[in-house]
Amino acid sequence: MTISYNWLSKYLPKAIEPEKLAVILTAIGLEVEKVSTFETIPGGLAGIIVGEVLTCEPHPNADKLKITTVNVGADQPLQIVCGAQNVAAGQKVVVAPVGATIYPFNGAPVTMKVAKIRGLESQGMICAEDEIGVGSSHAGIIVLTTDAKPGTPAATLFETYQDVIFEIGLTPNRMDAMSHLGVAKDVCAYLSHHQKKEVKVKLPYQNSFKVDNKELPINVVIENEEACLRYSGITISEVKVGPSPSWLKNSLQAIGIRSINNVVDVTNFILHETGQPLHAFDVNAIKNQTVIVKTLPAQTPFISLDGKERKLLANDLMICNGAGEPMCIAGVFGGAESGVTEATTNVFLESACFNATYIRKTSVAHQLRTEAATRFEKGVDISSTVQVLKRAALLIKEVAGGTISSDIVDVYPNPLTKTEIALKYHYLKKLSGKNYHPDTIKRILTALGFEVLKEGIDEIRLSVPFNKPDITLPADVVEEILRIDGLDNIDIPAIITISPATETLGYKHQLQQKLANYLAGQGYHEIVTNSITNSQYYSEKTLQHTVAMLNSLSADLNVLRPSMLETGLEIIAYNLNRKNNKLRLFEFGKTYFSNEVGKYVETEHLSLYLTGKISDDNWQHKNQPADFYEAKGIAAAILKWCGITELQWKQDASNPLALKICLGKKQLGTVEVVSHEITAKFDIKQPVCFIDFDFNMLLQSNANLSITYKEVPKFPAVQRDLALVVPKNTNYQMLENIVQKLKLSKLKHMHVFDVFENERLGNNKKSVAINFTFLDEEKTLTDKQIDAMMQTLMQAFEQEAQALIRK
């Protein structure tokens, strides 16, 4: 929210310095985030003065230069070298003497210094328009009227305007402060409370409003009373549309609004003065002298003020003429054929209150985030439409002439009643921690526009002004009192008592925290990526079920991610481009898709990303890059950490570089080496491993497990090794499945410790060495028992894996 200091000061009873005003605004919850200076002429022509050219002679060393002596009101005239063709003796000119800073129309500021030009000293500059920022002409120097006195500051001859601009961080609930008057009311409430006397806002409304004639009445019909709560209007005839006066232009330009014409500028001025949006129609576009407020059928074409044809939605509220033709998208944007132009002579001025939900939906759907729509979305003061209309009509008469040619039409089908709230004093003390005297409470609230309905011993009953629709609870009233008093004025109690919290994290969060701590201990770093991503990462098949953004922030952020992989690869690419090549990352996140019946599905994930060397090289050995086997190992460790041990690793038929992690018929996740086709999209040249768990599946599987304590075995474990010659395409999962089918209760663990390939083993053969660990928790295993189990294992391998036992 942008606030002009000069503009705001018009409504304050007494001027307040900008620095002090910024402190007050921040204290009352309107935090000043930035203070800047606005100038119609940069620098305000400071140090630039009027001079009189006494002499003008050709430069002895340059054909196009002149040597002048200029009287600037000092004891001695200045010698200035000038290249302008129109300079002559006797002229009154604009001079930038040594020390003055000029601000060229298109260029950086320059501070004048004594200079030597072709061997002769120049003590300043005789200025053209563009050289001091008062215009764009460089045809010659500025020649002033003969009555200008040498030494006079140039700022007195040119129309300069300076202002201090406050950028306020306005919270969404503060619609009452979305105007200069609204801010002024808050400032006066602050002053009333802290100065212990009533300080009133200087309201701009006048009692001089009157109808000049009734020659152009406009009838108003509201067909959709849910969408249009109130509609007021008035006709002004014989206006002369043209440029706005300087004060109006300056006020708008100071807060970043371009001047259009005097009528439109008045509507913009009133918007920022009062917070009430207005719209001006050319009466010639209002057929049958009737305005109808209604919705139109979907896909109805409408050409808006920017010249674009828009297809209307069924819930777009429209301002139509008597023939049912749309003239304006209510509260959002005007139409190309009904707006005010230089040819307009009769104006119909609209001041209305529209349903915030309707305005929000239309504004978002058509991507029209206008100033008017922003205010209607947050709510406007429904009680002020007529009052604001009178103010605007008088301003239009002032700047564009004309006569008021109709009564005010005011259609208010379902008048609203003010919200009533009872505030108990002990509740105020409980929330604020401070005792407020009833008179103080009353003074603050009445200054803010609240009406006291009833005062009791222990409570005060209030009616809430229409310009504060966010206030519905006693707690909201407490907030109003606190911010006007100032949070810095709340005493810190000498003793603070608290009740220890007994609530613990839910099971889901406990598991998430447990896994995060484990992974951090393994050297992984947690990342958080944006769930909104770029549709170009995905195939057409994937995009068929992808959730697209209706109002995307940019072309690169237009869908909700259907996979965790791509947003993680963005982080990897970012780090690799900065020479951070060894990455171990994990993320808890969500993916989204729409199923066959059009419903949206949200899935939670735990995803891990590995790339680069496992650790740094050292003198003993050179480390290898992270590969599929390390990824599978960390995935197995995570599952074991979750208490899930009896699982299967299944080859993914659609991806030879991936394994599915299954528990019974449930798929818990996948482990894969990301294909080069995908990594190439992110310009990643080194291999990347990706582990993806369905976190809810992990949670369900883990929740069904019970933890029981077992006594530490008293008897030693026994290890045996076995070397098998198997077909080259035999994978470890196949061998592990063979062993699991045997259900050897004494076999506690198995793992591969060597893989060997050689021509002597035979064509397409390899040797796999496996270590087995046996343990009986009740007695020491004998060689006979172990040999029997090893014999069982060898027979199974020979029969099911066509293995040859190496002896």
Side-chain angles (χ1 to χ4, degrees), residues 524-729:
Y524 284 72
H525 296 276
E526 185 170 8
I527 59 174
V528 179
T529 59
N530 194 347
S531 58
I532 307 174
T533 187
N534 193 337
S535 61
Q536 294 184 359
Y537 295 152
Y538 307 101
S539 65
E540 290 296 328
K541 182 179 179 181
T542 301
L543 291 175
Q544 290 177 2
H545 298 286
T546 299
V547 181
M549 301 292 291
L550 295 177
N551 185 26
S552 57
L553 300 175
S554 68
D556 295 334
L557 297 171
N558 57 353
V559 295
L560 292 176
R561 62 184 173 198
S563 162
M564 297 291 293
L565 175 60
E566 287 73 17
T567 51
L569 290 177
E570 288 180 333
I571 301 299
I572 290 174
Y574 182 88
N575 280 272
L576 294 180
N577 289 336
R578 287 153 182 80
K579 305 302 181 183
N580 187 12
N581 300 325
K582 187 178 72 176
L583 299 172
R584 300 292 182 273
L585 310 173
F586 74 95
E587 178 179 14
F588 293 95
K590 296 179 180 180
T591 59
Y592 312 84
F593 73 95
S594 59
N595 59 22
E596 289 74 11
V597 294
K599 290 188 176 181
Y600 297 123
V601 180
E602 181 180 277
T603 307
E604 295 191 61
H605 295 258
L606 166 60
S607 300
L608 292 84
Y609 312 86
L610 300 80
T611 188
K613 292 185 177 181
I614 297 172
S615 60
D616 294 330
D617 294 337
N618 59 56
W619 66 275
Q620 290 181 314
H621 63 275
K622 288 193 174 182
N623 229 308
Q624 297 298 318
D627 56 15
F628 178 84
Y629 302 104
E630 187 196 354
K632 182 184 175 185
I634 192 67
I638 289 172
L639 293 166
K640 185 176 180 181
W641 193 256
C642 293
I644 304 171
T645 54
E646 296 182 4
L647 50 90
Q648 299 86 41
W649 302 83
K650 297 182 179 180
Q651 187 72 45
D652 189 338
S654 63
N655 185 356
L657 298 174
L659 283 180
K660 295 179 181 178
I661 308 170
C662 300
L663 182 63
K665 295 182 179 181
K666 297 179 180 178
Q667 182 176 329
L668 300 181
T670 58
V671 181
E672 65 176 293
V673 177
V674 183
S675 71
H676 177 69
E677 290 181 359
I678 296 177
T679 55
K681 294 179 182 179
F682 299 86
D683 198 26
I684 297 174
K685 297 180 175 60
Q686 63 188 50
V688 177
C689 296
F690 176 56
I691 306 167
D692 187 37
F693 290 107
D694 185 322
F695 187 69
N696 285 327
M697 286 287 188
L698 282 183
L699 194 64
Q700 293 170 12
S701 303
N702 185 256
N704 296 328
L705 297 173
S706 58
I707 299 174
T708 57
Y709 172 76
K710 285 186 177 181
E711 186 179 358
V712 177
K714 298 178 181 179
F715 304 97
V718 178
Q719 296 187 1
R720 291 286 178 91
D721 295 337
L722 185 64
L724 309 172
V725 177
V726 295
K728 196 171 183 179
N729 62 354

Side-chain angles (χ1 to χ4, degrees), residues 720-726 732 735 750-756 766-772 797 806:
R720 291 286 178 91
D721 295 337
L722 185 64
L724 309 172
V725 177
V726 295
Y732 176 71
L735 301 178
M750 64 179 286
H751 72 273
V752 174
F753 66 88
D754 185 43
V755 177
F756 173 70
K766 65 181 177 182
S767 172
V768 180
I770 305 175
N771 175 266
F772 298 95
F797 288 138
R806 296 184 67 190

Side-chain angles (χ1 to χ4, degrees), residues 278-448:
L278 303 177
H279 190 74
F281 296 92
D282 189 326
V283 171
N284 291 338
I286 305 177
K287 294 182 180 179
N288 302 327
Q289 291 185 278
T290 300
V291 167
I292 305 174
V293 187
K294 64 178 182 178
T295 53
L296 295 174
Q299 298 302 307
T300 299
F302 172 69
I303 300 177
S304 52
L305 199 58
D306 55 5
K308 295 181 180 178
E309 181 178 279
R310 303 176 188 274
K311 299 296 184 181
L312 300 180
L313 306 178
N315 64 344
D316 289 342
L317 186 65
M318 304 299 296
I319 310 299
C320 303
N321 59 29
E325 299 167 345
M327 299 189 296
C328 172
I329 304 176
V332 179
F333 209 49
E337 298 178 1
S338 63
V340 173
T341 66
E342 291 184 359
T344 301
T345 56
N346 301 321
V347 171
F348 177 71
L349 200 59
E350 164 196 287
S351 176
C353 180
F354 301 115
N355 186 304
T357 303
Y358 277 79
I359 300 301
R360 172 68 177 173
K361 288 181 179 179
T362 296
S363 174
V364 171
H366 295 292
Q367 297 185 2
L368 293 169
R369 309 296 296 148
T370 59
E371 293 273 7
T374 301
R375 282 159 177 80
F376 280 124
E377 287 171 9
K378 293 177 172 58
V380 297
D381 185 354
I382 196 171
S383 67
S384 68
T385 58
V386 172
Q387 187 179 35
V388 169
L389 197 61
K390 292 178 180 179
R391 161 75 168 154
L394 291 176
L395 266 183
I396 288 176
K397 285 187 66 176
E398 178 185 331
V399 301
T403 57
I404 297 174
S405 299
S406 75
D407 288 323
I408 291 178
V409 57
D410 183 27
V411 182
Y412 194 1
N414 301 300
L416 301 182
T417 58
K418 290 184 177 180
T419 301
E420 294 185 6
I421 297 176
L423 175 65
K424 294 187 178 297
Y425 297 140
H426 71 85
Y427 180 76
L428 171 59
K429 181 182 178 182
K430 179 181 178 181
L431 261 63
S432 67
K434 184 174 180 179
N435 268 321
Y436 285 96
H437 192 277
D439 290 343
T440 300
I441 299 170
K442 184 178 177 181
R443 182 170 59 248
I444 291 175
L445 295 176
T446 53
L448 288 171

